[in-house]
Amino acid sequence: MTDSPSFYDEVGGHDTFVRLVDVFYREVAADDVLRPMYPEEDLGPAAERLTLFLEQYWGGPTTYGETRGHPRLRMRHRPFHVDPDARDRWLRHMRTAVDELDLSPLHEATLWDYLERAAHAMVNTFEPSGIGPGPSVGATVLPVHPRTGADDR
């Protein structure tokens, strides 16, 4: 009986995942929302962790689990403000990286499906991050739930 090759092997193994992660972090480095979420000066350690995680997830070496334990992705992302904007930016950069791999349609769809589901699962707040313009000077701010008068009760 022969084992069928893993997704990891089918898409080119280590080199493919390194390319994916390198392109992704090249994009993240220029993103004013995502870049501050990476505390290290150099994105290299984050890139290594993501590469190891993805390789293990897709059937490659188990180095991630051996060195870092269970992925616990939601727990590891909890300290960061992952709102829908951050998710969408992450997906946009990952889309660029996936497109540069030039995978077969089936492999591309399989990988992208996972990445989309993972990105949506990491959202931990719907509060805006404060990015973008604030209210203009002299603007009237209306309460979300205006108080009703005594006669309105």
Side-chain angles (χ1 to χ4, degrees), residues 69-143:
H70 190 281
R72 301 178 310 211
L73 294 180
R74 288 205 33 96
M75 183 203 77
R76 291 183 196 271
H77 288 82
R78 186 171 300 143
F80 304 102
H81 187 98
V82 184
D83 63 4
D85 178 50
R87 174 203 61 212
D88 293 347
R89 287 167 179 262
W90 190 93
L91 282 169
R92 184 171 58 245
H93 302 317
M94 194 56 82
R95 179 78 254 173
T96 298
V98 169
D99 288 347
E100 288 195 23
L101 293 178
D102 198 30
L103 299 173
S104 73
L106 178 60
H107 289 120
E108 183 275 328
T110 302
L111 178 59
W112 186 247
D113 178 65
Y114 167 76
L115 294 169
E116 278 191 312
R117 286 183 292 112
H120 284 271
M122 293 307 108
V123 172
N124 58 27
T125 184
F126 289 92
E127 294 296 320
S129 63
I131 298 164
S136 60
V137 176
T140 302
V141 177
L142 300 175

Side-chain angles (χ1 to χ4, degrees), residues 20-28 38 50 90 93-94 97:
L20 174 75
V21 171
D22 284 351
V23 171
F24 172 73
Y25 279 109
R26 177 191 74 206
E27 299 295 313
V28 167
Y38 296 89
L50 181 57
W90 190 93
H93 302 317
M94 194 56 82

Side-chain angles (χ1 to χ4, degrees), residues 1-5:
M1 180 170 138
T2 61
D3 291 328
S4 60

Side-chain angles (χ1 to χ4, degrees), residues 34-74:
L34 296 184
R35 179 59 183 101
M37 291 186 191
Y38 296 89
E40 293 127 340
E41 182 80 19
D42 175 15
L43 289 171
E48 182 178 349
R49 290 188 299 269
L50 181 57
T51 301
L52 292 175
F53 169 76
L54 290 172
E55 287 180 328
Q56 179 171 307
Y57 181 85
W58 291 105
T62 57
T63 310
Y64 183 92
E66 293 163 6
T67 58
R68 299 199 32 96
H70 190 281
R72 301 178 310 211
L73 294 180
R74 288 205 33 96

